[in-house]
Amino acid sequence: MNKKNSVDFILKNRSTAVQQERGTFFAPSNIALGKYWGKRNTELNLPVTSSLSVSLGGLGAKTTISLSTKNSDQISVNGALMDLKSVFAVNLRNFLDLFRNNPTTYYQVETEINIPIGAGLASSACGYAAIVGALNQLYGWDLSCAQMSLLGRLGSGSASRSFWQGFVEWQAGVAEDGMDSLGVPLLETWPELRIGLVIFNAQQKSLSSRSAMQRTVLTSPFYASWPAKQAADMNCLRAAIQKRDFVELGSAAESNALAMHALMLTASPPCVYSEPHTLAAMQKIWQLRQEGLSLYFTQDAGPNLKLLFLEKDLEMVKKLFPEIIIVAPFGDAERVVLVDEQDQVIGTEEKLKAHQLALLHRAFSVFVYRKKITGGETKFEFLLQQRHPDKYHCGGLWTNTCCSHPRLGETVLAAAQRRLKEEMSLEVSLNQLGFFVYQANFENGLSEHELDHVLLGEYDGVQPIVLNPTEVQASCWVESEALQHALSAHPERYTPWLKPAFRLVLEELCIKS
Ligand code: 2P0
C-alpha cells in the first residue's frame, strides 16, 4: 500500500468537491516523553515502537486552506510567502498531491505558527496536523480525530499525536496497511505539570529528523536494543501518569531522550544535535536535582531542551532559566478552554477573564434522571441542584444536576464524571447528547458565552446523594412536565442554560415539549 491508497481508503465514500470557501484548523505541537525513533515502513511512516507525548496547549499551528485562483500553490508561513522549491514547500506539496481531485487543483495555504520551525520543537507535527484539519473543513469530510490522525501520520509521523490536547499515545499497530497505527488520547490529566522550553538555537537544523532517524535505524549497531528500552520506558510513563508520580515520569522521559541521542551518536556518520549550551544545561539540571529540585529534561532532534517540572517549582525554575517559555499542558483548574463554534480548541484563558470578556469556551451540563412508573405510564424525574449563593454568577438559582468546564486535555466525559462526583458524590454512566452555543449577560458584569455539551445518565436509585456544601445549596427531583412549566412560568429562578440544555434531553428521551 502506498500513501495515495492509504488516503483513498481513509476517505472512501467522501467527496473531494470543495464544500466551504476555506477550511481552518489549529493543531497543538506535541513533545514526546517516550520517543518515536525508527520506522518499520518509511512510505507510510509506520513506527517500530509506540510513543507517548504531551501536547503544548496554545503553542502550535493554525492553518487556513482555500483553492488558489493562481496557477500554482501558494504557501505562506507567518505572512511570508515560501519559495516553492524549498525542501519545506516540496514536502508539503507532495503531501497536498494526495488530496487534489485533479492535477490543476491548487491550494492557498496560510499557516501561522508560534514556535520556531525545524528546531526540534515538533513544528512538522502541528504543521501537518493543522493541514489535515483544514482540508477536513474545506471538503466537509467530517472526519474523527482518529481518522485525521491516520492522515496526519502520512505527512509526518509525530503529527498523528497532534489532534488532541493532553497525553496522547501513538500506538504502533501491527497491520501492514497502518490502519491501526494512530494516536489515542489518554484520559488522565495532570494540572500541575509544566513544560519549559529552553531555546538556545532557533535556527533550522541542518540534519532533518527524518534523515537522522533513518540513518540511526540503518547504521547504529545498537538500534536492535531500542524496542525493549522503549517498551520499558513506555510502561514507566503510563504508570507514572496514572499515579501522578512525577519523579517516575521525569526519570523515564529523560532516560528515554538520552538513550535516543546515544543511539544517534553511534550512527554512521554520527548524528549530533547537542551543542555546548545543551550539555551545559544538562549539567546544571543534574546539579540542581542533587540539590533537591525536582527538574528533568527531554530533548528531540535539535539542540534545545524541554524541561519537566511541577507548578510548585515554577518561580524557582524561571529564576534559574530566565529565557524559558512555560507551557501548562493541562491549563490549571482556574482556566477554561477557548473554542470556536465547531468546538475546535483555540487556547485557554483564566476562568474569570473569559467570563468578563464573554469569550466562547467549552462547558458541560449533566442531567441525572430516574424513571417513575405510575398507572402504567413512565415519567421522568430530573435531579436539580440549587447553586451556592456565593458562586461567581447565578448564585442561588436552580439548574441541572451539575455543570462545569473541562480542563485542557480532559475529555468532556471525564470532566463530567469528575464534577458529578465532586459536587453530588454520584457515579453515573453518562451519554453525550450534543452541544449548543449560548450567551447570557449577568447583572454583575460577567457573561456566559459557552459551547455547552449536554450529558445524560440514569440514577441507580441506590447511591446516596451527598451535596458538596461549597458548591450546592440544595437539590430536588422534579418531574419533566413540572420542570417545563416552571421554566416558562418562572425563568428568573433558573440558570439561562437550563432551558436550551433541557431541550436536548427531552429530544433524547422522546418526551413531548
Ligand atoms: C518524537 N521526533 O517522537 C521524535 C523524537 C523527534 C525526536 O517524531 O519522518 O518529523 O516526518 O515521520 O515526525 C520527529 O520526526 O518524522 C519526531 P517523520 P517526524 O517526537
Side-chain angles (χ1 to χ4, degrees), residues 30-39 42 44-46 51-53 120 122-125 128 152-161 170 205 208-211 213-214 230 256 260-261 264 273 298-302 306:
N30 74 73
I31 297 296
L33 302 173
K35 308 292 186 190
Y36 151 51
W37 203 249
K39 305 181 195 198
T42 50
L44 301 176
N45 290 335
L46 298 180
S51 56
L52 195 155
S53 63
S123 55
S124 71
Y128 279 95
R153 166 174 51 73
L154 299 171
S156 189
S158 48
S160 64
R161 301 185 306 236
W170 172 13
K205 59 207 176 197
S208 74
S209 51
R210 185 166 292 188
S211 309
M213 190 185 292
Q214 194 56 5
Q230 175 73 352
N256 188 263
M260 179 184 77
H261 283 273
M264 284 195 251
Y273 283 110
T298 183
Q299 180 188 5
D300 291 294
K306 290 96 188 194

Side-chain angles (χ1 to χ4, degrees), residues 28 49 79 110 138 201 224 268 316 356:
T49 67
E110 294 159 281
L138 178 74
N201 184 347
S268 176
M316 173 70 88
Q356 281 163 343

Side-chain angles (χ1 to χ4, degrees), residues 123-141:
S123 55
S124 71
C126 59
Y128 279 95
I131 282 168
V132 169
L135 288 168
N136 179 46
Q137 296 278 331
L138 178 74
Y139 287 111
W141 289 326

Side-chain angles (χ1 to χ4, degrees), residues 1-20:
M1 189 175 251
N2 63 21
K3 277 195 172 112
K4 181 67 185 146
N5 307 138
S6 197
V7 168
D8 291 345
F9 184 80
I10 297 160
L11 295 180
K12 63 176 174 266
N13 304 329
R14 286 186 161 85
S15 160
T16 47
V18 166
Q19 300 292 314
Q20 307 278 338

